[in-house]
Amino acid sequence: MSLTGKLTMSSQATKLAVRKIKRLDYRVMSSTKRSSSFEAHSERQKPSKGGRKQMRTIRKASPKQKDDDLVEDKHDSEQNEAKDDFSTEIISRDPREEPEKTSDQGEAYAALLTLLKAEHGSKRSVPKKSEKEAEAGSEDDAQDLEPEHGEEYEESEEAAIEHGLSNEKEEDEENEAEGIEDGSMEDEEDKADPLEKHFNSVSEKNIDELDAAFKSRTIRYRSTKLPVDQSQEFIYSRPTLPNDSLVAPPTRSQSLDSYFIKQRLKIQNDLMDSNGDKLTPLQKQILDPVFQYQDLLYEYDNYNKESEYRDLYTLHVLNHIYKTRDRILKNNQRLQDNPDQELLDQGFTRPKVLIVVPTRDVAHQVLTKIIEKSGIDQVDKKGKFKDQFYQNSTTPSYKPKSFKHVFQGNTNDFFVIGAKFTRKAIKLYSNFYQSDIIICSPLGIQLILENTDKKKRQDDFLSSIELLVIDQLHSIEFQNVLHLSSIFEHLNKIPQQQHDADFSRIKMWYINDQAKLLRQTLIFTRHSSPFANSLINGKCKNYAGRWKNHSIVSSDKSSLGQLGMRTRLVFQRFDLAGNSAIDEPDYRFKHFCSVIVPNIVKSTGYEDGILLYIPDYTDFIRVRNYMREKTSILFGDINEYSEQRQLNANRSLFQQGRIKVMLYTERLHHFRRYEIKGVKTVIFYKPPSNPEFFEETVRYLGKSAFLGVADLNISVVRCLYSKLDGLALEKIVGTERAAVLTRGPNETYEFK
């Protein structure tokens, strides 16, 4: 058969071939053990174009003695749960048998990888390297994955053998063997369990059709609104095929009694009795989307409510981890009785949950809550974790409440940490490929995914993530949002190496590169934004649908209603002339140059004390260059990259009136919250993404008036906006007023 013929093989034939190789790979390894270390091969096999031919010619390896496997398995004592007890006596290996077994397993994975690339297309090239380089690289990467704690995973072969025979490993295996609690044999397979329904009972045909529709861009989202009260409504959307009928929203019980929670979690968290009354209103709103494995974008209205949604999603995370691990252990026992069964219960790699947070302090809060709810007392390296992530520090008392909340404790934003769960212990700082949960900051994981040294780049540990949580997105947005977008690009990709995967037990939707259609994504933010909507709408493709809440802001609760001062506020709209959002920055800049700058030059109010607030840094550079090259206005600028000396000098010159205009970026305001003195006029180049920033900036006028520097009857606040700024305007002026501002006939609206 020609290469072209191979690449055009039908999807059904490919799936049958994959099943064959899974069974064959299983038989090759069943006489030894199911998860032998891929890094221990004497020579890494390279994927060839004749993948299907290789499948037909793979030979069955001769049986090996069981004790050899105990020597080889030095990395993950968790992957051999409930296996037969191995003898502790080491039997010397025949070096002539090793290449045959290595070659067969290598050919099996190479053939499968060729099939996957032929079916889905090769999206990235991987430099070829020898097995010695691959093994050394994997050891180096294991160290690089956790740059903060300096853990060393490199071991000699002798040390690995000693570790494999140590009491610690035997205890781990015993713990795993005990990991199946009473009654789990029945409740794990209950078809009413949302986990079983979402991941294990999904129709392969439906997933194939949705996958094809996403790729051909014929997918359609059908939505419905569910009012909660006068201040909030939920919007449920689900992907459908063009000919599908209208979508009914899922049932909402708003009670934990409707869901299967592991017994140990119920006991630990006092959930044995009826729980309906114990849930807060916020928890009742998000309970069903979370436990039904649907995507969620939730905007909460108070920083004090963060502990409420964390209580819920950490319980969900633990429930998911316990159930998936117990299912694997149970199937291990079944396979001992009947090795020919086809039990699909695994992904390519072990990590199942990824939690993204902005700072170490938030990571400490989340992981501490997970430990408390887990019911496990023994936590390895807990002291080290507290030393590196906890910091008892406070912010200055005169800073706003939101600043104190975001920047409390350890604000370091460079970290990645793995957590591995066994029956009796939680192992922090575990190797990523042995972890169940990975908690990271966008910057920390970015330096792994996009390392400047291409040999150290890797993302295989993200290939089997089934639950993604993004906590405090509003704070992450003031870091580098490209890092967060990069995480989505690396999630659920087919790995480049085997990583001890047992292909006889990998679910078909993993092999078919469809894991993104089943992954659940939970996003929590204090303030919804266009970027948050772009994540839930563009990066999340969960076949179960998605939820997002919409807050209805009354005029009293808007920023204008909370100002506590009366001054002139002017909102000026510029027209996009029917163009797309891509052209919006250009039209905003043209309006600024043609309307705002002449008003500054020929001002009828104050000639100095003009604060120009610019949310986006690229807009800031553009405006600064224009004012420097095209105008004669005396201005200064302070931004997040300014040196402290420049910040102090320009603030002093502005207060003294020696510079007329001060350019001020939103990120600088977020990180410093300076008290800018001498402000007499405020111009917003764009509505602030955080409505609290609008209030804080406008109050500079009130402080100037209190000091007798400005008169509120003469001072003015001016804000440029377009119809695309409706989300930010809702929080500033209220939902009803925002609709008038974005859709009304006038271009200028004034409030007093």
Side-chain angles (χ1 to χ4, degrees):
M1 182 183 293
S2 65
L3 179 60
T4 304
K6 294 177 184 177
L7 294 178
T8 56
M9 177 182 287
S10 67
S11 176
Q12 185 65 26
T14 302
K15 294 173 184 176
L16 293 175
V18 170
R19 287 192 174 97
K20 289 180 180 179
I21 189 169
K22 286 173 61 182
R23 295 189 183 98
L24 182 54
D25 183 59
Y26 166 75
R27 291 168 185 167
V28 170
M29 294 186 288
S30 62
S31 61
T32 58
K33 66 184 188 68
R34 304 181 188 281
S35 57
S36 62
S37 176
F38 184 68
E39 289 79 1
H41 294 164
S42 61
E43 181 179 358
R44 181 182 174 188
Q45 297 294 324
K46 303 173 183 177
S48 65
K49 297 182 179 179
R52 294 182 174 85
K53 183 176 180 181
Q54 289 185 21
M55 286 197 302
R56 294 193 292 270
T57 59
I58 294 176
R59 296 173 297 171
K60 182 177 179 181
S62 59
K64 298 291 298 296
Q65 298 189 29
K66 293 182 180 179
D67 298 300
D68 293 345
D69 300 313
L70 186 59
V71 174
E72 292 175 1
D73 187 11
K74 63 186 178 68
H75 290 298
D76 193 357
S77 62
E78 302 280 321
Q79 294 209 356
N80 298 315
E81 302 92 339
K83 296 279 187 180
D84 293 335
D85 292 337
F86 294 126
S87 170
T88 59
E89 178 183 358
I90 300 300
I91 300 177
S92 61
R93 290 185 281 187
D94 185 354
R96 294 171 297 180
E97 295 181 10
E98 187 68 22
E100 181 180 357
K101 174 185 164 216
T102 299
S103 177
D104 289 333
Q105 293 180 355
E107 288 183 6
Y109 187 68
L112 178 60
L113 191 58
T114 301
L115 275 177
L116 295 175
K117 289 183 177 180
E119 184 71 20
H120 306 292
S122 180
K123 299 181 180 179
R124 55 183 176 178
S125 60
V126 178
K128 300 178 181 179
K129 53 185 176 180
S130 66
E131 177 57 29
K132 291 183 179 180
E133 293 173 341
E135 184 175 357
S138 64
E139 292 174 351
D140 291 342
D141 291 341
Q143 297 176 8
D144 293 333
L145 290 179
E146 299 173 8
E148 286 296 314
H149 57 75
E151 193 84 359
E152 292 186 2
Y153 292 107
E154 184 176 357
E155 292 180 302
S156 64
E157 184 176 355
E158 294 78 12
I161 292 175
E162 293 177 1
H163 176 71
L165 296 174
S166 65
N167 293 331
E168 180 181 357
K169 178 176 179 179
E170 292 176 358
E171 182 181 355
D172 286 345
E173 290 181 349
E174 182 181 354
N175 291 341
E176 285 296 321
E178 297 173 355
I180 305 177
E181 61 191 34
D182 295 337
S184 65
M185 291 289 188
E186 292 77 20
D187 66 15
E188 288 286 348
E189 292 185 341
D190 195 318
K191 297 302 180 181
D193 187 352
L195 184 145
E196 295 294 324
K197 181 179 179 181
H198 184 81
F199 291 104
N200 301 324
S201 302
V202 57
S203 170
E204 187 174 332
K205 179 182 177 182
N206 292 342
I207 293 298
D208 290 342
E209 291 176 350
L210 283 175
D211 187 28
F214 272 111
K215 291 178 179 178
S216 62
R217 298 186 178 182
T218 58
I219 202 74
R220 296 290 182 270
Y221 274 90
R222 301 183 184 275
S223 304
T224 181
K225 290 185 179 181
L226 288 85
V228 177
D229 50 38
Q230 295 182 349
S231 63
Q232 187 174 209
E233 63 183 4
F234 271 87
I235 303 173
Y236 172 72
S237 304
R238 201 182 78 182
T240 60
L241 301 175
N243 298 328
D244 287 351
S245 58
L246 295 177
V247 175
T251 57
R252 304 186 67 188
S253 64
Q254 297 188 347
S255 173
L256 282 171
D257 295 336
S258 304
Y259 299 99
F260 294 87
I261 309 296
K262 297 296 290 185
Q263 190 78 359
R264 72 189 90 162
L265 291 176
K266 286 185 175 181
I267 296 174
Q268 175 66 19
N269 297 281
D270 192 23
L271 301 177
M272 298 301 294
D273 299 329
S274 178
N275 304 289
D277 296 334
K278 295 182 180 180
L279 297 176
T280 65
L282 183 151
Q283 291 173 334
K284 289 182 179 180
Q285 292 173 11
I286 67 175
L287 170 68
D288 297 298
V290 169
F291 279 85
Q292 292 177 11
Y293 287 93
Q294 295 152 358
D295 292 339
L296 173 68
L297 169 60
Y298 188 78
E299 177 188 18
Y300 51 96
D301 58 3
N302 195 307
Y303 291 108
N304 296 328
K305 294 184 178 180
E306 289 181 352
S307 61
E308 296 182 17
Y309 70 73
R310 282 180 190 151
D311 282 334
L312 204 60
Y313 84 66
T314 51
L315 179 65
H316 177 56
V317 164
L318 287 168
N319 196 45
H320 183 81
I321 292 297
Y322 286 174
K323 285 186 176 182
T324 53
R325 293 304 298 165
D326 284 355
R327 168 168 284 275
I328 292 174
L329 296 174
K330 178 183 62 178
N331 287 342
N332 287 343
Q333 294 178 348
R334 288 180 171 178
L335 287 170
Q336 287 183 1
D337 300 331
N338 183 5
D340 293 331
Q341 293 184 83
E342 185 179 59
L343 300 175
L344 307 182
D345 57 4
Q346 297 182 13
F348 292 110
T349 54
R350 176 164 179 162
K352 290 292 180 286
V353 178
L354 177 67
I355 302 177
V356 184
V357 295
T359 64
R360 289 185 177 231
D361 183 77
V362 180
H364 180 266
Q365 295 180 41
V366 172
L367 192 48
T368 300
K369 192 174 288 290
I370 289 175
I371 294 172
E372 292 174 353
K373 290 184 173 294
S374 66
I376 299 176
D377 297 328
Q378 180 180 342
V379 182
D380 294 355
K381 302 181 181 178
K382 186 175 182 180
K384 177 181 179 180
F385 170 67
K386 183 176 181 180
D387 291 341
Q388 293 187 349
F389 282 78
Y390 178 74
Q391 183 176 326
N392 187 16
S393 61
T394 58
T395 56
S397 59
Y398 58 85
K399 295 291 185 180
K401 183 179 180 180
S402 60
F403 181 89
K404 295 177 182 178
H405 181 83
V406 172
F407 293 102
Q408 65 180 347
N410 191 336
T411 58
N412 187 305
D413 63 351
F414 180 76
F415 61 90
V416 190
I417 182 173
K420 174 181 178 180
F421 287 76
T422 67
R423 174 62 174 168
K424 295 182 179 179
I426 300 176
K427 298 185 177 182
L428 305 182
Y429 296 100
S430 56
N431 183 287
F432 283 1
Y433 293 98
Q434 300 177 17
S435 301
D436 295 296
I437 300 175
I438 297 174
I439 301 179
C440 68
S441 66
L443 176 61
I445 201 168
Q446 174 72 6
L447 295 185
I448 300 171
L449 305 177
E450 300 291 344
N451 196 299
T452 54
D453 186 352
K454 294 184 178 180
K455 294 182 180 180
K456 294 184 179 181
R457 291 181 184 178
Q458 56 177 310
D459 59 5
D460 287 358
F461 61 92
L462 298 180
S463 61
S464 302
I465 295 296
E466 295 176 350
L467 209 168
L468 170 66
V469 180
I470 302 176
D471 201 339
Q472 282 195 3
L473 177 62
H474 60 277
S475 184
I476 294 176
E477 286 189 60
F478 287 100
Q479 298 173 2
N480 192 331
V481 294
L482 295 180
H483 295 166
L484 187 58
S485 299
S486 178
I487 294 175
F488 282 91
E489 298 301 323
H490 289 272
L491 281 173
N492 303 123
K493 299 171 70 173
I494 295 175
Q496 296 299 304
Q497 297 184 24
Q498 185 179 359
H499 299 294
D500 298 336
D502 184 355
F503 283 90
S504 66
R505 297 173 67 174
I506 294 180
K507 300 173 184 178
M508 284 303 301
W509 42 266
Y510 273 119
I511 294 177
N512 293 336
D513 197 17
Q514 297 169 339
K516 293 180 180 179
L517 301 182
L518 292 96
R519 183 192 73 235
Q520 182 187 30
T521 304
L522 306 176
I523 304 175
F524 300 95
T525 181
R526 175 66 179 85
H527 303 290
S528 186
S529 66
F531 178 72
N533 286 333
S534 71
L535 290 181
I536 195 71
N537 295 334
K539 304 293 185 181
C540 303
K541 301 178 180 180
N542 191 341
Y543 82 93
R546 64 193 182 213
W547 293 85
K548 57 182 178 180
N549 67 325
H550 174 234
S551 299
I552 302 173
V553 183
S554 64
S555 58
D556 295 337
K557 294 184 178 180
S558 65
S559 295
L560 294 187
Q562 300 294 319
L563 271 179
M565 54 178 286
R566 298 179 63 87
T567 189
R568 185 182 172 206
L569 299 103
V570 179
F571 291 81
Q572 290 183 270
R573 187 179 67 198
F574 61 91
D575 191 10
L576 296 179
N579 290 279
S580 64
I582 299 177
D583 301 321
E584 194 257 10
D586 295 331
Y587 282 91
R588 187 183 301 275
F589 179 71
K590 290 179 181 178
H591 184 84
F592 174 80
C593 296
S594 61
V595 178
I596 303 300
V597 172
N599 285 342
I600 294 176
V601 176
K602 303 176 181 179
S603 177
T604 56
Y606 289 108
E607 296 183 354
D608 60 352
I610 301 173
L611 182 68
L612 180 55
Y613 182 100
I614 307 177
D616 191 83
Y617 186 76
T618 56
D619 288 333
F620 164 77
I621 296 296
R622 195 174 191 180
V623 170
R624 185 183 64 180
N625 293 343
Y626 174 80
M627 295 185 67
R628 180 180 297 166
E629 299 171 2
K630 303 295 184 180
T631 70
S632 58
I633 300 175
L634 293 176
F635 75 95
D637 66 90
I638 52 177
N639 61 81
E640 58 270 30
Y641 301 110
S642 301
E643 296 181 357
Q644 189 62 45
R645 183 178 61 181
Q646 181 185 0
L647 291 172
N648 295 337
N650 284 344
R651 289 171 60 196
S652 178
L653 292 174
F654 182 73
Q655 181 182 359
Q656 298 170 14
R658 297 170 61 182
I659 57 177
K660 185 174 182 179
V661 179
M662 173 72 81
L663 276 58
Y664 185 47
T665 62
E666 185 170 84
R667 289 190 75 224
L668 176 64
H669 184 77
H670 170 76
F671 287 110
R672 299 292 185 88
R673 305 293 176 93
Y674 280 131
E675 295 287 343
I676 308 296
K677 298 180 180 179
V679 178
K680 303 174 183 178
T681 301
V682 176
I683 300 175
F684 290 97
Y685 187 82
K686 184 179 181 179
S689 57
N690 186 337
E692 297 175 14
F693 295 171
F694 182 89
E695 301 173 30
E696 293 166 6
T697 306
V698 173
R699 287 193 180 119
Y700 291 156
L701 295 177
K703 294 176 182 177
S704 297
F706 178 77
L707 297 174
V709 177
D711 186 348
L712 293 181
N713 295 321
I714 302 176
S715 297
V716 62
V717 177
R718 197 177 301 272
C719 180
L720 301 185
Y721 74 95
S722 71
K723 62 181 181 181
L724 301 180
D725 295 320
L727 198 59
L729 289 174
E730 269 192 302
K731 309 296 188 302
I732 295 174
V733 300
T735 301
E736 293 184 1
R737 291 173 174 175
V740 175
L741 263 62
T742 54
R743 303 172 187 173
N746 301 327
E747 293 184 353
T748 302
Y749 295 87
E750 184 172 331
F751 299 89
K752 291 185 179 180

